[in-house]
Amino acid sequence: MSNYIRIERIPYEEPYHVQLVWNVSNSSVSTCFEYYDKADSLKEIAGGLENFPRHSSDVFLYEIGSEKPEDNFAYYFRLRAFTTDSRGSSALQIRFSNNRDLPYREIVEFCIEAEPAAINRLGKLFREFSNLNQEYMAWSDTESFIGRKYEYI
């Protein structure tokens, strides 16, 4: 297993909303989750990652939903890019909660360490994915793919 982010876009009220299925791994933990979001969120994520980091303590944060019960959200998702040292080493934090009551609650959180150039490449992939012309994107430390899910090997 390696570090990867694979996202399948399922058409849903496009061009305004998207349904995204994420399959993510950091080599020791992997998970799959699904959520709905504004289609513009893909451009927002792209913008945050394409030029990351801008300085040694840069942080990009994308969140949707809330984990607070009083906010009454169906789920919570966080994608956070941050530097891990003054030399610019970086990581991506993934957190997802389905916000269900016990015993059905599912929460996953982990980080993927990645070089800034790989995070920038992920941002460019999100930028292309935001055009809503392709249904699948795959990213790892060393490669990127965008196209149809069955084309990805």
mmCIF file of all heavy atoms in Angstrom, residues 111-143:
data_model
loop_
_atom_site.group_PDB
_atom_site.id
_atom_site.type_symbol
_atom_site.label_atom_id
_atom_site.label_comp_id
_atom_site.label_asym_id
_atom_site.label_seq_id
_atom_site.Cartn_x
_atom_site.Cartn_y
_atom_site.Cartn_z
ATOM 1 N N CYS A 111 -2.689 11.470 8.552
ATOM 2 C CA CYS A 111 -1.938 12.383 7.698
ATOM 3 C C CYS A 111 -1.177 11.615 6.632
ATOM 4 O O CYS A 111 -0.801 10.457 6.833
ATOM 5 C CB CYS A 111 -0.945 13.200 8.529
ATOM 6 S SG CYS A 111 -1.746 14.362 9.642
ATOM 7 N N ILE A 112 -0.956 12.297 5.529
ATOM 8 C CA ILE A 112 -0.124 11.798 4.439
ATOM 9 C C ILE A 112 1.035 12.782 4.299
ATOM 10 O O ILE A 112 0.817 13.947 3.974
ATOM 11 C CB ILE A 112 -0.911 11.732 3.109
ATOM 12 C CG1 ILE A 112 -2.086 10.772 3.218
ATOM 13 C CG2 ILE A 112 0.020 11.343 1.960
ATOM 14 C CD1 ILE A 112 -3.024 10.808 2.008
ATOM 15 N N GLU A 113 2.239 12.331 4.585
ATOM 16 C CA GLU A 113 3.397 13.190 4.388
ATOM 17 C C GLU A 113 3.677 13.284 2.899
ATOM 18 O O GLU A 113 3.628 12.278 2.189
ATOM 19 C CB GLU A 113 4.609 12.639 5.127
ATOM 20 C CG GLU A 113 4.453 12.702 6.635
ATOM 21 C CD GLU A 113 5.686 12.234 7.350
ATOM 22 O OE1 GLU A 113 6.631 13.054 7.461
ATOM 23 O OE2 GLU A 113 5.705 11.071 7.769
ATOM 24 N N ALA A 114 3.952 14.497 2.425
ATOM 25 C CA ALA A 114 4.196 14.710 1.001
ATOM 26 C C ALA A 114 5.069 15.935 0.803
ATOM 27 O O ALA A 114 4.982 16.902 1.563
ATOM 28 C CB ALA A 114 2.882 14.882 0.254
ATOM 29 N N GLU A 115 5.886 15.888 -0.223
ATOM 30 C CA GLU A 115 6.695 17.045 -0.578
ATOM 31 C C GLU A 115 5.789 18.140 -1.137
ATOM 32 O O GLU A 115 4.759 17.845 -1.739
ATOM 33 C CB GLU A 115 7.743 16.650 -1.619
ATOM 34 C CG GLU A 115 8.801 15.717 -1.089
ATOM 35 C CD GLU A 115 9.608 16.347 0.036
ATOM 36 O OE1 GLU A 115 9.949 17.560 -0.057
ATOM 37 O OE2 GLU A 115 9.891 15.649 1.023
ATOM 38 N N PRO A 116 6.155 19.401 -0.953
ATOM 39 C CA PRO A 116 5.339 20.488 -1.487
ATOM 40 C C PRO A 116 5.044 20.348 -2.986
ATOM 41 O O PRO A 116 3.926 20.637 -3.421
ATOM 42 C CB PRO A 116 6.177 21.736 -1.208
ATOM 43 C CG PRO A 116 6.937 21.386 0.028
ATOM 44 C CD PRO A 116 7.270 19.920 -0.143
ATOM 45 N N ALA A 117 6.005 19.890 -3.775
ATOM 46 C CA ALA A 117 5.769 19.728 -5.216
ATOM 47 C C ALA A 117 4.652 18.723 -5.485
ATOM 48 O O ALA A 117 3.851 18.909 -6.410
ATOM 49 C CB ALA A 117 7.051 19.299 -5.926
ATOM 50 N N ALA A 118 4.571 17.677 -4.677
ATOM 51 C CA ALA A 118 3.497 16.685 -4.845
ATOM 52 C C ALA A 118 2.149 17.282 -4.449
ATOM 53 O O ALA A 118 1.124 17.013 -5.082
ATOM 54 C CB ALA A 118 3.795 15.433 -4.019
ATOM 55 N N ILE A 119 2.140 18.127 -3.415
ATOM 56 C CA ILE A 119 0.904 18.795 -3.010
ATOM 57 C C ILE A 119 0.470 19.788 -4.085
ATOM 58 O O ILE A 119 -0.721 19.880 -4.415
ATOM 59 C CB ILE A 119 1.074 19.472 -1.635
ATOM 60 C CG1 ILE A 119 1.254 18.390 -0.560
ATOM 61 C CG2 ILE A 119 -0.113 20.375 -1.314
ATOM 62 C CD1 ILE A 119 1.566 18.910 0.825
ATOM 63 N N ASN A 120 1.425 20.490 -4.685
ATOM 64 C CA ASN A 120 1.109 21.406 -5.788
ATOM 65 C C ASN A 120 0.510 20.643 -6.973
ATOM 66 O O ASN A 120 -0.452 21.109 -7.598
ATOM 67 C CB ASN A 120 2.358 22.159 -6.257
ATOM 68 C CG ASN A 120 3.010 23.000 -5.173
ATOM 69 O OD1 ASN A 120 4.195 23.271 -5.248
ATOM 70 N ND2 ASN A 120 2.262 23.419 -4.163
ATOM 71 N N ARG A 121 1.055 19.474 -7.248
ATOM 72 C CA ARG A 121 0.534 18.632 -8.327
ATOM 73 C C ARG A 121 -0.892 18.183 -8.015
ATOM 74 O O ARG A 121 -1.752 18.135 -8.893
ATOM 75 C CB ARG A 121 1.470 17.429 -8.530
ATOM 76 C CG ARG A 121 1.159 16.603 -9.745
ATOM 77 C CD ARG A 121 2.268 15.593 -10.070
ATOM 78 N NE ARG A 121 2.975 15.035 -8.940
ATOM 79 C CZ ARG A 121 2.530 14.027 -8.188
ATOM 80 N NH1 ARG A 121 1.360 13.474 -8.450
ATOM 81 N NH2 ARG A 121 3.250 13.580 -7.168
ATOM 82 N N LEU A 122 -1.170 17.890 -6.755
ATOM 83 C CA LEU A 122 -2.538 17.543 -6.342
ATOM 84 C C LEU A 122 -3.470 18.733 -6.587
ATOM 85 O O LEU A 122 -4.596 18.563 -7.055
ATOM 86 C CB LEU A 122 -2.559 17.128 -4.873
ATOM 87 C CG LEU A 122 -3.925 16.804 -4.278
ATOM 88 C CD1 LEU A 122 -4.603 15.640 -5.008
ATOM 89 C CD2 LEU A 122 -3.782 16.502 -2.780
ATOM 90 N N GLY A 123 -3.005 19.944 -6.288
ATOM 91 C CA GLY A 123 -3.804 21.133 -6.555
ATOM 92 C C GLY A 123 -4.133 21.280 -8.031
ATOM 93 O O GLY A 123 -5.275 21.595 -8.397
ATOM 94 N N LYS A 124 -3.162 21.051 -8.888
ATOM 95 C CA LYS A 124 -3.394 21.127 -10.340
ATOM 96 C C LYS A 124 -4.387 20.064 -10.788
ATOM 97 O O LYS A 124 -5.220 20.293 -11.671
ATOM 98 C CB LYS A 124 -2.069 21.006 -11.090
ATOM 99 C CG LYS A 124 -1.183 22.228 -10.942
ATOM 100 C CD LYS A 124 0.150 22.046 -11.659
ATOM 101 C CE LYS A 124 1.014 23.269 -11.594
ATOM 102 N NZ LYS A 124 1.481 23.659 -10.292
ATOM 103 N N LEU A 125 -4.314 18.901 -10.174
ATOM 104 C CA LEU A 125 -5.255 17.827 -10.490
ATOM 105 C C LEU A 125 -6.681 18.234 -10.091
ATOM 106 O O LEU A 125 -7.633 18.031 -10.849
ATOM 107 C CB LEU A 125 -4.824 16.552 -9.763
ATOM 108 C CG LEU A 125 -5.337 15.225 -10.272
ATOM 109 C CD1 LEU A 125 -4.933 14.973 -11.717
ATOM 110 C CD2 LEU A 125 -4.823 14.094 -9.396
ATOM 111 N N PHE A 126 -6.831 18.830 -8.915
ATOM 112 C CA PHE A 126 -8.139 19.340 -8.495
ATOM 113 C C PHE A 126 -8.638 20.411 -9.463
ATOM 114 O O PHE A 126 -9.826 20.486 -9.758
ATOM 115 C CB PHE A 126 -8.091 19.901 -7.071
ATOM 116 C CG PHE A 126 -8.458 18.916 -6.015
ATOM 117 C CD1 PHE A 126 -7.475 18.307 -5.256
ATOM 118 C CD2 PHE A 126 -9.779 18.586 -5.767
ATOM 119 C CE1 PHE A 126 -7.809 17.383 -4.270
ATOM 120 C CE2 PHE A 126 -10.129 17.678 -4.789
ATOM 121 C CZ PHE A 126 -9.137 17.075 -4.036
ATOM 122 N N ARG A 127 -7.737 21.272 -9.949
ATOM 123 C CA ARG A 127 -8.122 22.326 -10.896
ATOM 124 C C ARG A 127 -8.723 21.706 -12.155
ATOM 125 O O ARG A 127 -9.776 22.119 -12.624
ATOM 126 C CB ARG A 127 -6.909 23.189 -11.242
ATOM 127 C CG ARG A 127 -7.154 24.279 -12.242
ATOM 128 C CD ARG A 127 -7.890 25.463 -11.708
ATOM 129 N NE ARG A 127 -7.173 26.054 -10.595
ATOM 130 C CZ ARG A 127 -7.772 26.829 -9.687
ATOM 131 N NH1 ARG A 127 -9.051 27.098 -9.778
ATOM 132 N NH2 ARG A 127 -7.086 27.331 -8.675
ATOM 133 N N GLU A 128 -8.054 20.695 -12.694
ATOM 134 C CA GLU A 128 -8.574 20.026 -13.891
ATOM 135 C C GLU A 128 -9.876 19.281 -13.578
ATOM 136 O O GLU A 128 -10.823 19.304 -14.356
ATOM 137 C CB GLU A 128 -7.531 19.060 -14.460
ATOM 138 C CG GLU A 128 -7.939 18.455 -15.780
ATOM 139 C CD GLU A 128 -6.858 17.600 -16.410
ATOM 140 O OE1 GLU A 128 -5.702 17.622 -15.933
ATOM 141 O OE2 GLU A 128 -7.177 16.902 -17.381
ATOM 142 N N PHE A 129 -9.936 18.642 -12.418
ATOM 143 C CA PHE A 129 -11.125 17.893 -11.995
ATOM 144 C C PHE A 129 -12.330 18.827 -11.838
ATOM 145 O O PHE A 129 -13.468 18.432 -12.066
ATOM 146 C CB PHE A 129 -10.817 17.180 -10.676
ATOM 147 C CG PHE A 129 -11.689 16.018 -10.337
ATOM 148 C CD1 PHE A 129 -11.905 14.980 -11.226
ATOM 149 C CD2 PHE A 129 -12.289 15.940 -9.088
ATOM 150 C CE1 PHE A 129 -12.696 13.894 -10.886
ATOM 151 C CE2 PHE A 129 -13.081 14.863 -8.734
ATOM 152 C CZ PHE A 129 -13.288 13.835 -9.640
ATOM 153 N N SER A 130 -12.077 20.085 -11.475
ATOM 154 C CA SER A 130 -13.159 21.052 -11.257
ATOM 155 C C SER A 130 -13.908 21.413 -12.535
ATOM 156 O O SER A 130 -14.995 21.985 -12.473
ATOM 157 C CB SER A 130 -12.618 22.319 -10.588
ATOM 158 O OG SER A 130 -11.871 23.106 -11.497
ATOM 159 N N ASN A 131 -13.342 21.068 -13.684
ATOM 160 C CA ASN A 131 -14.037 21.317 -14.951
ATOM 161 C C ASN A 131 -15.226 20.373 -15.146
ATOM 162 O O ASN A 131 -16.033 20.576 -16.054
ATOM 163 C CB ASN A 131 -13.072 21.178 -16.132
ATOM 164 C CG ASN A 131 -12.022 22.264 -16.131
ATOM 165 O OD1 ASN A 131 -12.289 23.398 -15.746
ATOM 166 N ND2 ASN A 131 -10.820 21.919 -16.544
ATOM 167 N N LEU A 132 -15.323 19.338 -14.315
ATOM 168 C CA LEU A 132 -16.417 18.354 -14.336
ATOM 169 C C LEU A 132 -16.514 17.609 -15.662
ATOM 170 O O LEU A 132 -17.584 17.170 -16.064
ATOM 171 C CB LEU A 132 -17.767 19.022 -13.999
ATOM 172 C CG LEU A 132 -17.813 19.819 -12.690
ATOM 173 C CD1 LEU A 132 -19.201 20.413 -12.491
ATOM 174 C CD2 LEU A 132 -17.413 18.963 -11.505
ATOM 175 N N ASN A 133 -15.356 17.433 -16.319
ATOM 176 C CA ASN A 133 -15.309 16.667 -17.562
ATOM 177 C C ASN A 133 -14.852 15.225 -17.344
ATOM 178 O O ASN A 133 -15.025 14.389 -18.217
ATOM 179 C CB ASN A 133 -14.360 17.330 -18.572
ATOM 180 C CG ASN A 133 -14.859 18.680 -19.004
ATOM 181 O OD1 ASN A 133 -16.056 18.909 -19.119
ATOM 182 N ND2 ASN A 133 -13.936 19.601 -19.235
ATOM 183 N N GLN A 134 -14.224 14.973 -16.212
ATOM 184 C CA GLN A 134 -13.701 13.644 -15.907
ATOM 185 C C GLN A 134 -14.346 13.129 -14.629
ATOM 186 O O GLN A 134 -14.690 13.900 -13.746
ATOM 187 C CB GLN A 134 -12.176 13.683 -15.748
ATOM 188 C CG GLN A 134 -11.447 14.203 -16.963
ATOM 189 C CD GLN A 134 -11.626 13.332 -18.186
ATOM 190 O OE1 GLN A 134 -11.868 12.146 -18.085
ATOM 191 N NE2 GLN A 134 -11.502 13.936 -19.361
ATOM 192 N N GLU A 135 -14.461 11.819 -14.535
ATOM 193 C CA GLU A 135 -15.157 11.223 -13.390
ATOM 194 C C GLU A 135 -14.228 10.701 -12.308
ATOM 195 O O GLU A 135 -14.680 10.362 -11.221
ATOM 196 C CB GLU A 135 -16.047 10.077 -13.862
ATOM 197 C CG GLU A 135 -15.253 8.901 -14.413
ATOM 198 C CD GLU A 135 -16.116 7.772 -14.937
ATOM 199 O OE1 GLU A 135 -17.176 8.052 -15.487
ATOM 200 O OE2 GLU A 135 -15.699 6.610 -14.789
ATOM 201 N N TYR A 136 -12.925 10.665 -12.566
ATOM 202 C CA TYR A 136 -12.026 10.006 -11.621
ATOM 203 C C TYR A 136 -10.675 10.697 -11.624
ATOM 204 O O TYR A 136 -10.150 11.054 -12.678
ATOM 205 C CB TYR A 136 -11.852 8.539 -12.034
ATOM 206 C CG TYR A 136 -11.205 7.661 -11.000
ATOM 207 C CD1 TYR A 136 -11.915 7.211 -9.894
ATOM 208 C CD2 TYR A 136 -9.890 7.260 -11.138
ATOM 209 C CE1 TYR A 136 -11.330 6.386 -8.947
ATOM 210 C CE2 TYR A 136 -9.293 6.429 -10.192
ATOM 211 C CZ TYR A 136 -10.025 6.005 -9.105
ATOM 212 O OH TYR A 136 -9.440 5.192 -8.166
ATOM 213 N N MET A 137 -10.130 10.889 -10.430
ATOM 214 C CA MET A 137 -8.758 11.387 -10.313
ATOM 215 C C MET A 137 -8.009 10.536 -9.292
ATOM 216 O O MET A 137 -8.601 10.060 -8.324
ATOM 217 C CB MET A 137 -8.717 12.863 -9.936
ATOM 218 C CG MET A 137 -9.251 13.209 -8.566
ATOM 219 S SD MET A 137 -9.047 14.958 -8.128
ATOM 220 C CE MET A 137 -7.588 14.869 -7.093
ATOM 221 N N ALA A 138 -6.736 10.344 -9.547
ATOM 222 C CA ALA A 138 -5.890 9.565 -8.637
ATOM 223 C C ALA A 138 -4.562 10.295 -8.490
ATOM 224 O O ALA A 138 -3.987 10.757 -9.478
ATOM 225 C CB ALA A 138 -5.676 8.161 -9.180
ATOM 226 N N TRP A 139 -4.095 10.401 -7.265
ATOM 227 C CA TRP A 139 -2.843 11.088 -6.944
ATOM 228 C C TRP A 139 -2.051 10.230 -5.980
ATOM 229 O O TRP A 139 -2.606 9.584 -5.091
ATOM 230 C CB TRP A 139 -3.169 12.440 -6.305
ATOM 231 C CG TRP A 139 -2.003 13.151 -5.705
ATOM 232 C CD1 TRP A 139 -1.178 14.032 -6.331
ATOM 233 C CD2 TRP A 139 -1.531 13.060 -4.356
ATOM 234 N NE1 TRP A 139 -0.220 14.499 -5.458
ATOM 235 C CE2 TRP A 139 -0.428 13.904 -4.232
ATOM 236 C CE3 TRP A 139 -1.943 12.324 -3.236
ATOM 237 C CZ2 TRP A 139 0.277 14.049 -3.045
ATOM 238 C CZ3 TRP A 139 -1.243 12.463 -2.056
ATOM 239 C CH2 TRP A 139 -0.145 13.326 -1.968
ATOM 240 N N SER A 140 -0.755 10.231 -6.149
ATOM 241 C CA SER A 140 0.154 9.616 -5.180
ATOM 242 C C SER A 140 1.397 10.493 -5.096
ATOM 243 O O SER A 140 1.489 11.520 -5.774
ATOM 244 C CB SER A 140 0.521 8.187 -5.588
ATOM 245 O OG SER A 140 1.403 8.200 -6.694
ATOM 246 N N ASP A 141 2.362 10.075 -4.303
ATOM 247 C CA ASP A 141 3.608 10.836 -4.175
ATOM 248 C C ASP A 141 4.286 11.060 -5.517
ATOM 249 O O ASP A 141 4.964 12.057 -5.715
ATOM 250 C CB ASP A 141 4.592 10.088 -3.275
ATOM 251 C CG ASP A 141 4.095 9.943 -1.856
ATOM 252 O OD1 ASP A 141 3.219 10.722 -1.450
ATOM 253 O OD2 ASP A 141 4.583 9.042 -1.157
ATOM 254 N N THR A 142 4.122 10.109 -6.432
ATOM 255 C CA THR A 142 4.895 10.134 -7.665
ATOM 256 C C THR A 142 4.089 10.268 -8.939
ATOM 257 O O THR A 142 4.671 10.485 -9.998
ATOM 258 C CB THR A 142 5.740 8.852 -7.777
ATOM 259 O OG1 THR A 142 4.863 7.719 -7.736
ATOM 260 C CG2 THR A 142 6.753 8.758 -6.643
ATOM 261 N N GLU A 143 2.764 10.116 -8.889
ATOM 262 C CA GLU A 143 2.006 10.156 -10.140
ATOM 263 C C GLU A 143 0.627 10.770 -9.962
ATOM 264 O O GLU A 143 0.117 10.884 -8.846
ATOM 265 C CB GLU A 143 1.867 8.755 -10.731
ATOM 266 C CG GLU A 143 1.099 7.794 -9.856
ATOM 267 C CD GLU A 143 1.018 6.394 -10.439
ATOM 268 O OE1 GLU A 143 1.674 6.117 -11.452
ATOM 269 O OE2 GLU A 143 0.290 5.584 -9.875
#
